[in-house]
Amino acid sequence: MPLSGRDIVCFSNDWDGDPLSKTHLMRLLARENRILWVNSLGNRTPRASASDAAKIVRKVRAAARGVVEVERNIHVLAPLYVPGYRSEAVRAANGALVRAQVRRAMSRLGMARPITWAFLPSAAPVAGTLGESLVVYHVVDEFSAFSDASGGVAELERRLLERADLVVASSQRLLEAKRRANPRTVLVRHGVDWAHFARACEPGPIPAELARLPRPVIGFFGLVADWIDLALVRRVADAYPHASVVLLGKVVTSTAPLAGARNVHLVGRRPYAELPDWCRGFAVALTPFRRNDLALAANPLKAREYVAAGLPNVCTDLPELRAIPGCTVTRDDDAFVAEVGRALAAGGGPDRARSALVRSEGWEGKLEELEGHLAALERRRRQASPARGVPA
């Protein structure tokens, strides 16, 4: 097995956010490897807003704490950096600044010849400069398609794609796009924390806040951002006025399309541990993504999580959602609204048979796929340089 006894430097989102694909994979890798998790370096220039100011304060405080072991074999570094990536001078300054902090953390932990595992283009100025045994770019989004992406993100990603020994794409569309820049690109789709979400199919509590609402409940969880089609959510709410439409998650976009809808409830972010309890009270789940470049390249985690919770999942038509069993993919808004009604008429709610459809798609299996690709890469490198070899 290539991923055992290794040191891994992971450039990803902030550790204290909701568990994402990166979190699930690194937790599994931490069973037999040491992880230095480097918190997000951002993909955009901060705005003059209270939320961005508060975020900067949080990051400075986290940086002051230094390297913290948050779980066994997972050490988190919150680096200081200059926000913004349009200027080459700023990118170069960030590279030097972050590289020094990462090397200092590696020295403290006794790490040498690590694997750099980058999930964000902003890692480009550092990836390949840490004495790595190899560099992996694990791409899960079309970062330049985010509405607030910095103009320098595409250039950073180009450099990271050139530097990577292996590129892992989480969707077919990303595979095709990134393979043009790096032929060593492979497809590994997202998995699901099946055992966690399957708890929704078992008897248990429903959050009091949810239990008080009129039933049936049409539910959504995740970041409420501009890639979520809130106008479509409003159409669902208006079509089923006796149902409650519940959106769990931090809101980072305008909710104007929902204004005046008395049966829509924005309840804010809830801990990951509580999501199965909320799903237990849902009749139908929604995956209402806009069909834009960002969404078309995405592989939404929540779709498999809804199915693992045994819920009917009505989705807009994204390519990756067609590949997930248990998802009802709709061709247009009218069909989306109608399918919600069919699911409600059928009773909805968590169903063990539906949950079992994705039982075999756990993160452990995805890690095995990744290990297979890395083993093949290291075999090819040994064959290309038999005298020098490749560190194990």
Side-chain angles (χ1 to χ4, degrees):
M1 179 189 300
L3 294 179
S4 179
R6 309 287 282 263
D7 291 331
I8 298 172
V9 178
C10 171
F11 292 88
S12 188
N13 303 75
D14 289 354
W15 173 260
D16 59 0
D18 291 325
L20 301 173
S21 56
K22 306 96 165 168
T23 324
H24 293 298
L25 287 171
M26 289 299 140
R27 277 180 167 149
L28 287 174
L29 284 167
R31 294 175 181 176
E32 299 186 32
N33 305 273
R34 291 192 307 163
I35 315 296
L36 174 59
W37 177 290
V38 183
N39 274 354
S40 172
L41 305 179
N43 286 319
R44 65 173 176 84
T45 302
R47 295 180 289 262
S49 66
S51 61
D52 276 8
K55 185 175 182 180
I56 290 170
V57 170
R58 288 196 302 272
K59 283 186 170 289
V60 170
R61 287 175 176 168
R65 290 195 292 270
V67 179
V68 178
E69 186 170 15
V70 292
E71 295 181 10
R72 181 179 175 273
N73 282 340
I74 299 180
H75 307 264
V76 173
L77 170 68
L80 291 173
Y81 62 96
V82 180
Y85 297 96
R86 287 186 180 274
S87 161
E88 179 58 36
V90 171
R91 292 197 290 268
N94 273 335
L97 181 61
V98 175
R99 185 183 309 116
Q101 293 171 82
V102 172
R103 287 192 176 211
R104 187 161 53 247
M106 287 173 56
S107 177
R108 174 182 164 184
L109 297 171
M111 288 186 167
R113 301 283 290 159
I115 298 172
T116 282
W117 203 304
F119 288 95
L120 300 174
S122 51
V126 183
T129 70
L130 303 173
E132 295 97 324
S133 57
L134 59 94
V135 174
V136 176
Y137 176 34
H138 198 143
V139 55
V140 300
D141 279 305
E142 191 59 79
F143 291 101
S144 61
F146 280 94
S147 60
D148 61 354
S150 163
V153 167
E155 171 61 17
L156 287 169
E157 184 177 62
R158 184 193 65 76
R159 289 166 54 185
L160 188 54
L161 284 165
E162 287 182 353
R163 191 166 293 166
D165 298 295
L166 180 70
V167 178
V168 179
S170 63
S171 74
Q172 183 66 33
R173 190 177 175 112
L174 287 173
L175 173 74
E176 293 166 2
K178 308 314 172 188
R179 184 173 275 171
R180 290 194 287 270
N182 188 325
R184 298 178 301 279
T185 301
V186 298
L187 175 66
V188 179
R189 289 187 165 96
H190 289 327
V192 64
D193 189 354
W194 182 83
H196 179 68
F197 285 95
R199 288 170 36 211
C201 298
E202 305 298 331
I206 293 173
E209 188 176 359
L210 182 61
R212 288 193 295 267
L213 296 177
R215 294 195 176 192
V217 174
I218 301 166
F220 167 93
F221 60 74
L223 191 66
V224 182
D226 59 5
W227 55 80
I228 301 299
D229 192 342
L230 292 182
L232 179 55
V233 173
R234 176 60 181 268
R235 281 197 59 182
V236 170
D238 290 347
Y240 307 104
H242 301 298
S244 298
V245 178
V246 174
L247 307 182
L248 279 77
K250 182 179 179 181
V251 177
V252 295
T253 191
S254 170
T255 58
L258 305 176
R262 300 182 65 178
N263 61 332
V264 175
H265 305 272
L266 295 162
V267 300
R269 180 182 172 190
R270 292 295 184 270
Y272 181 76
E274 295 179 10
L275 292 182
D277 296 336
W278 286 85
C279 289
R280 192 177 289 119
F282 290 173
V284 183
L286 305 180
T287 307
F289 278 58
R290 297 179 184 276
R291 280 179 54 84
N292 54 25
D293 286 344
L294 178 65
L296 290 169
N299 192 336
L301 280 182
K302 64 176 56 60
R304 284 181 178 80
E305 292 170 345
Y306 290 151
V307 177
L311 292 169
N313 178 21
V314 180
C315 310
T316 45
D317 187 9
L318 302 183
E320 288 299 319
L321 297 180
R322 299 175 200 151
I324 302 175
C327 289
T328 300
V329 177
T330 58
R331 67 184 181 279
D332 56 32
D333 289 2
D334 289 341
F336 189 99
V337 174
E339 288 296 343
V340 172
R342 290 190 184 94
L344 291 174
D351 175 77
R352 288 187 178 89
R354 188 180 294 113
S355 173
L357 294 174
V358 293
R359 184 169 188 168
S360 64
E361 296 193 28
W363 287 108
E364 292 85 353
K366 301 303 174 180
L367 180 56
E368 289 179 7
E369 286 184 51
L370 288 165
E371 289 175 333
H373 289 301
L374 286 168
L377 171 66
E378 293 195 333
R379 272 197 307 274
R380 290 194 298 271
R381 292 174 70 182
R382 281 195 296 269
Q383 290 165 0
S385 304
R388 178 171 55 87
V390 175

